[in-house]
Short mmCIF file of all heavy atoms in Angstrom, two decimals:
data_model
loop_
_atom_site.label_atom_id
_atom_site.label_comp_id
_atom_site.label_asym_id
_atom_site.label_seq_id
_atom_site.Cartn_x
_atom_site.Cartn_y
_atom_site.Cartn_z
N PRO U 28 8.24 21.02 27.55
CA PRO U 28 8.86 20.03 28.42
C PRO U 28 8.05 18.73 28.45
O PRO U 28 6.83 18.76 28.63
CB PRO U 28 8.84 20.68 29.82
CG PRO U 28 8.43 22.11 29.60
CD PRO U 28 7.62 22.11 28.33
N THR U 29 8.73 17.59 28.24
CA THR U 29 8.04 16.29 28.28
C THR U 29 8.93 15.24 28.95
O THR U 29 10.12 15.45 29.11
CB THR U 29 7.71 15.75 26.87
OG1 THR U 29 8.89 15.13 26.32
CG2 THR U 29 7.23 16.83 25.92
N MET U 30 8.30 14.12 29.26
CA MET U 30 9.07 12.96 29.73
C MET U 30 9.18 11.92 28.60
O MET U 30 9.54 10.77 28.84
CB MET U 30 8.42 12.34 30.97
CG MET U 30 8.42 13.33 32.14
SD MET U 30 8.34 12.55 33.74
CE MET U 30 6.75 11.73 33.64
N GLY U 31 8.85 12.35 27.37
CA GLY U 31 9.03 11.45 26.22
C GLY U 31 7.91 10.43 26.09
O GLY U 31 6.85 10.56 26.70
N HIS U 34 2.97 11.26 22.38
CA HIS U 34 1.67 10.96 21.76
C HIS U 34 1.10 12.27 21.22
O HIS U 34 1.74 13.33 21.32
CB HIS U 34 0.73 10.28 22.77
CG HIS U 34 0.61 11.00 24.08
ND1 HIS U 34 0.07 12.26 24.18
CD2 HIS U 34 0.99 10.66 25.34
CE1 HIS U 34 0.09 12.65 25.44
NE2 HIS U 34 0.66 11.71 26.18
N GLY U 36 -1.05 14.25 22.33
CA GLY U 36 -1.17 15.32 23.32
C GLY U 36 0.09 16.17 23.31
O GLY U 36 0.03 17.41 23.24
N HIS U 37 1.26 15.49 23.37
CA HIS U 37 2.53 16.23 23.31
C HIS U 37 2.64 16.99 21.99
O HIS U 37 3.09 18.14 21.95
CB HIS U 37 3.71 15.25 23.39
CG HIS U 37 3.79 14.46 24.66
ND1 HIS U 37 3.62 13.09 24.69
CD2 HIS U 37 4.02 14.84 25.94
CE1 HIS U 37 3.76 12.65 25.93
NE2 HIS U 37 4.00 13.69 26.71
N SER U 39 0.35 18.22 20.17
CA SER U 39 -0.50 19.43 20.12
C SER U 39 0.20 20.60 20.83
O SER U 39 0.05 21.75 20.44
CB SER U 39 -1.89 19.17 20.69
OG SER U 39 -1.87 19.23 22.08
N LEU U 40 1.01 20.30 21.85
CA LEU U 40 1.81 21.36 22.49
C LEU U 40 2.84 21.88 21.49
O LEU U 40 3.09 23.09 21.40
CB LEU U 40 2.55 20.85 23.74
CG LEU U 40 1.79 20.20 24.90
CD1 LEU U 40 2.71 20.03 26.10
CD2 LEU U 40 0.59 20.97 25.31
N TYR U 71 8.83 3.48 33.57
CA TYR U 71 8.22 4.51 32.73
C TYR U 71 8.67 4.30 31.28
O TYR U 71 9.85 4.12 31.01
CB TYR U 71 8.63 5.92 33.22
CG TYR U 71 7.74 6.99 32.64
CD1 TYR U 71 6.52 7.31 33.22
CD2 TYR U 71 8.09 7.63 31.46
CE1 TYR U 71 5.69 8.26 32.67
CE2 TYR U 71 7.26 8.58 30.88
CZ TYR U 71 6.06 8.89 31.51
OH TYR U 71 5.23 9.83 30.93
N PHE U 146 5.15 25.62 27.06
CA PHE U 146 3.81 25.10 26.79
C PHE U 146 3.52 23.90 27.68
O PHE U 146 4.30 22.94 27.72
CB PHE U 146 3.69 24.74 25.30
CG PHE U 146 3.85 25.95 24.42
CD1 PHE U 146 5.11 26.48 24.16
CD2 PHE U 146 2.74 26.60 23.90
CE1 PHE U 146 5.26 27.63 23.40
CE2 PHE U 146 2.88 27.75 23.14
CZ PHE U 146 4.15 28.26 22.89
N PHE U 147 2.39 23.96 28.40
CA PHE U 147 2.01 22.90 29.34
C PHE U 147 0.58 22.46 29.09
O PHE U 147 -0.28 23.29 28.80
CB PHE U 147 2.16 23.38 30.79
CG PHE U 147 3.59 23.49 31.25
CD1 PHE U 147 4.33 24.64 31.01
CD2 PHE U 147 4.21 22.44 31.91
CE1 PHE U 147 5.66 24.74 31.41
CE2 PHE U 147 5.54 22.53 32.32
CZ PHE U 147 6.26 23.68 32.08
N GLY U 148 0.32 21.17 29.22
CA GLY U 148 -1.01 20.63 28.98
C GLY U 148 -1.94 20.85 30.17
O GLY U 148 -1.54 20.70 31.33
N GLN U 149 -3.18 21.14 29.84
CA GLN U 149 -4.24 21.25 30.84
C GLN U 149 -4.50 19.88 31.49
O GLN U 149 -5.08 19.78 32.57
CB GLN U 149 -5.51 21.78 30.16
CG GLN U 149 -6.71 21.98 31.04
CD GLN U 149 -6.46 22.98 32.14
OE1 GLN U 149 -5.83 24.01 31.94
NE2 GLN U 149 -6.95 22.66 33.35
N LYS U 150 -4.04 18.82 30.83
CA LYS U 150 -4.15 17.46 31.38
C LYS U 150 -3.61 17.42 32.81
O LYS U 150 -4.19 16.82 33.70
CB LYS U 150 -3.39 16.49 30.46
CG LYS U 150 -3.03 15.16 31.05
CD LYS U 150 -4.13 14.19 30.84
CE LYS U 150 -3.92 12.85 31.49
NZ LYS U 150 -2.57 12.44 31.73
N ASP U 151 -2.44 18.07 33.01
CA ASP U 151 -1.85 18.13 34.34
C ASP U 151 -2.19 19.50 34.93
O ASP U 151 -1.35 20.39 35.05
CB ASP U 151 -0.34 17.94 34.25
CG ASP U 151 0.02 16.57 33.68
OD1 ASP U 151 0.07 16.42 32.45
OD2 ASP U 151 0.20 15.64 34.48
N GLN U 154 -0.22 20.85 37.97
CA GLN U 154 1.15 21.19 37.56
C GLN U 154 1.18 22.54 36.85
O GLN U 154 2.02 23.40 37.13
CB GLN U 154 1.68 20.08 36.64
CG GLN U 154 2.93 20.43 35.86
CD GLN U 154 3.45 19.24 35.08
OE1 GLN U 154 4.05 18.34 35.64
NE2 GLN U 154 3.22 19.23 33.78
N VAL U 174 -2.41 24.42 27.16
CA VAL U 174 -2.93 23.78 25.94
C VAL U 174 -3.99 22.74 26.37
O VAL U 174 -3.77 21.98 27.32
CB VAL U 174 -1.77 23.09 25.16
CG1 VAL U 174 -2.29 22.41 23.91
CG2 VAL U 174 -0.69 24.11 24.81
N PRO U 175 -5.16 22.74 25.66
CA PRO U 175 -6.25 21.84 26.06
C PRO U 175 -5.88 20.35 26.01
O PRO U 175 -4.94 19.97 25.31
CB PRO U 175 -7.36 22.12 25.04
CG PRO U 175 -7.01 23.42 24.40
CD PRO U 175 -5.53 23.58 24.51
N ILE U 176 -6.66 19.55 26.72
CA ILE U 176 -6.42 18.09 26.77
C ILE U 176 -6.78 17.45 25.43
O ILE U 176 -7.84 17.72 24.87
CB ILE U 176 -7.30 17.44 27.87
CG1 ILE U 176 -6.98 18.04 29.24
CG2 ILE U 176 -7.12 15.92 27.88
CD1 ILE U 176 -7.84 17.49 30.38
N VAL U 177 -5.88 16.60 24.93
CA VAL U 177 -6.18 15.81 23.74
C VAL U 177 -6.65 14.43 24.20
O VAL U 177 -6.03 13.82 25.08
CB VAL U 177 -4.93 15.67 22.83
CG1 VAL U 177 -5.23 14.78 21.64
CG2 VAL U 177 -4.47 17.04 22.37
N ALA U 184 -8.29 10.43 28.05
CA ALA U 184 -7.22 11.43 27.86
C ALA U 184 -5.94 10.70 27.48
O ALA U 184 -5.58 9.70 28.11
CB ALA U 184 -7.03 12.23 29.14
N LEU U 185 -5.25 11.20 26.44
CA LEU U 185 -3.99 10.57 26.05
C LEU U 185 -2.98 10.71 27.19
O LEU U 185 -2.91 11.75 27.84
CB LEU U 185 -3.42 11.23 24.80
CG LEU U 185 -4.22 11.10 23.52
CD1 LEU U 185 -3.41 11.65 22.34
CD2 LEU U 185 -4.59 9.66 23.24
N SER U 187 1.10 8.86 28.36
CA SER U 187 2.15 7.84 28.12
C SER U 187 1.86 6.60 28.96
O SER U 187 2.25 5.50 28.60
CB SER U 187 3.52 8.40 28.47
OG SER U 187 3.74 9.61 27.80
P1 LIG M 1 4.48 14.23 30.29
O1 LIG M 1 5.40 13.73 29.22
O2 LIG M 1 3.40 13.29 30.65
O3 LIG M 1 5.23 14.81 31.48
O4 LIG M 1 3.72 15.47 29.66
C1 LIG M 1 4.42 16.54 29.06
C2 LIG M 1 3.44 17.64 28.77
O5 LIG M 1 2.43 17.16 27.89
C3 LIG M 1 2.72 18.17 30.02
O6 LIG M 1 2.60 19.58 29.92
C4 LIG M 1 1.38 17.50 29.93
O7 LIG M 1 0.34 18.21 30.58
C5 LIG M 1 1.17 17.46 28.44
N1 LIG M 1 0.19 16.41 28.11
C6 LIG M 1 0.23 15.11 28.46
N2 LIG M 1 -0.88 14.46 28.02
C7 LIG M 1 -1.63 15.39 27.38
C8 LIG M 1 -2.89 15.36 26.72
N3 LIG M 1 -3.61 14.24 26.61
N4 LIG M 1 -3.35 16.51 26.17
C9 LIG M 1 -2.63 17.66 26.28
N5 LIG M 1 -1.44 17.75 26.88
C10 LIG M 1 -0.94 16.64 27.43
#
Side-chain angles (χ1 to χ4, degrees):
T29 81
M30 297 204 298
H34 51 64
H37 298 114
S39 81
L40 304 191
Y71 196 85
F146 297 78
F147 286 86
Q149 181 61 41
K150 162 88 184 335
D151 298 85
Q154 166 175 283
V174 180
I176 301 178
V177 177
L185 295 188
S187 307

